[in-house]
Amino acid sequence: MSIKFSVILPNGATNELAGITDPVEAYETLTHVAQTAEEVGFDTLWISDVLWPGDFTGLDTSQEFLFECWTTTAALARDTSHVRIGQIVTSNIFRHPALLAKMASTVDVMSHGRLTLGIGSGSPALADQARAYGYDYPDVPERSRQLREAVQILLAMWTQEEATFEGTSYSVRGAINQPKGIQQPHIPLLIAGNGEQVTLKLVAQYGNACNIHGDPATLKNKFTVLKEHCERLHRDYQSIHRTSGSYCIIGDTDEQAQAKVPERVRALFGNAALIGSPETIRERIAAYEDAGVQELLLRFPGTGQQDAIRRFAQEFIA
């Protein structure tokens, strides 16, 4: 099994911190999950970039604790020692790309070169949050144009002595970014999204990695589209690291695991989620790998996350 496994850390997105009333305890819970995942051999830790929690179960968790994505990433750079860290995904609508490039460069140094910057145009689910915080939330075509400009600015800030870019949404004029980070030729850039004509073409042009959502059949089709874009642009398809996410509950039997799954999760992930006995999960991992996924980003929901992470590692990480 050559596929890599990573953990999406508890940060309110699936109600993992719900019920904790002490903010210090909530943060330390997140940290302990991160350190456990590093200890048992997961490849990357990912943080969601949202401003207040949502919940796959459909419950209202908006008043539960949630920590800001990039300050948490910086803390993880110092609370861990060798696991990679990144975002699933930075919402481009929340930060100017030139400042984001500087932030990422700083975190890459803090982590001694372990950062992957994940970025996307912003999920429709974030519209209310963006407007509540005073950000514009344009339509999909405009957000896609903004993402294209943002990606070009990030790369310019990481590779040019003085970055200059004139776009419709963003411009920088002689912006200096020192230090630029540790990794060469620059910090890896993961671009997330399923759009075949815009996002996947952007991945083929600029991305070091992609993150695509769906069951194995959907992913296989999306990767075919990505490969076609690469061929047209004379880009090596194999140079793009391919990731996807899933929800994980391990039980001694399929029935035991399924009994813990909220109906909304079942509707979102169907039979593709890693839910069941170790044998069932092994079959589903194989289906993702056959579809072309190289790294699976896993949510371990609810309480007992550290135990679930340890069990998964014992079963599936050599």
Side-chain angles (χ1 to χ4, degrees):
M1 186 180 293
S2 60
I3 194 169
K4 296 181 177 181
F5 300 106
S6 299
V7 172
I8 301 176
L9 290 174
N11 198 24
T14 52
N15 203 26
E16 298 98 336
L17 302 181
I20 300 177
T21 58
D22 180 351
V24 173
E25 180 186 351
Y27 182 78
E28 294 303 326
T29 297
L30 184 154
T31 300
H32 292 154
V33 171
Q35 292 170 339
T36 297
E38 178 178 57
E39 174 192 339
V40 299
F42 283 86
D43 287 282
T44 313
L45 304 174
W46 301 94
I47 289 283
S48 300
D49 187 21
V50 291
L51 301 176
W52 63 69
D55 192 317
F56 284 144
T57 66
L59 299 175
D60 179 9
T61 61
S62 59
Q63 294 298 323
E64 301 289 351
F65 294 141
L66 183 141
F67 299 101
E68 193 278 326
C69 175
W70 270 92
T71 45
T72 303
T73 303
L76 288 170
R78 307 304 291 178
D79 287 340
T80 59
S81 62
H82 59 270
V83 70
R84 292 193 64 81
I85 53 178
Q87 306 76 35
I88 291 295
V89 290
T90 303
S91 298
N92 184 54
I93 55 177
F94 292 153
R95 300 167 190 85
H96 191 286
L99 177 59
L100 178 62
K102 182 71 173 178
M103 293 162 57
S105 296
T106 300
V107 172
D108 197 48
V109 174
M110 292 170 67
S111 67
H112 299 187
R114 292 185 284 127
L115 177 69
T116 295
L117 191 156
I119 193 167
S121 61
S123 163
L126 294 177
D128 289 344
Q129 296 188 19
R131 292 170 182 140
Y133 272 66
Y135 296 110
D136 292 334
Y137 190 83
D139 59 17
V140 172
E142 178 61 23
R143 295 203 313 277
S144 296
R145 285 190 291 271
Q146 290 177 348
L147 179 61
R148 174 174 290 279
E149 292 185 10
V151 165
Q152 293 175 79
I153 289 172
L154 288 169
L155 294 173
M157 294 287 289
W158 291 337
T159 59
Q160 298 175 13
E161 291 302 305
E162 295 187 9
T164 295
F165 178 88
E166 291 291 340
T168 302
S169 299
Y170 305 115
S171 61
V172 292
R173 302 176 182 91
I176 296 171
N177 176 31
Q178 295 290 358
K180 297 184 182 301
I182 299 298
Q183 299 174 86
Q184 296 296 327
H186 56 74
I187 296 163
L189 182 65
L190 179 148
I191 301 173
N194 282 33
E196 296 184 1
Q197 299 307 313
V198 178
T199 304
L200 295 185
K201 185 176 181 181
L202 199 62
V203 172
Q205 287 179 295
Y206 300 111
N208 303 105
C210 62
N211 182 261
I212 301 173
H213 174 74
D215 59 27
T218 298
L219 293 168
K220 188 173 183 178
N221 290 335
K222 298 293 183 181
F223 293 145
T224 297
V225 172
L226 176 59
K227 188 173 184 178
E228 290 169 351
H229 283 309
C230 288
E231 289 171 351
R232 283 191 287 269
L233 293 166
H234 306 290
R235 171 78 187 275
D236 178 8
Y237 169 72
Q238 296 300 335
S239 70
I240 298 171
H241 188 62
R242 302 179 299 277
T243 78
S244 188
S246 190
Y247 194 91
C248 186
I249 299 177
I250 307 175
D252 293 330
T253 65
D254 290 350
E255 293 75 16
Q256 184 187 81
Q258 288 290 341
K260 301 177 183 179
V261 182
E263 284 299 323
R264 191 173 178 204
V265 171
R266 194 173 283 110
L268 283 170
F269 289 94
N271 292 327
L274 304 191
I275 297 171
S277 67
E279 293 76 17
T280 295
I281 289 176
R282 189 166 282 106
E283 291 173 0
R284 294 181 180 176
I285 291 171
Y288 277 108
E289 192 167 14
D290 289 345
V293 175
Q294 296 171 304
E295 183 174 347
L296 266 177
L297 285 49
L298 301 178
R299 292 188 185 275
F300 294 89
T303 58
Q305 290 169 322
Q306 292 179 64
D307 291 340
I309 285 169
R310 289 185 185 279
R311 182 173 183 185
F312 185 94
Q314 290 169 357
E315 295 282 355
F316 304 108
I317 298 177

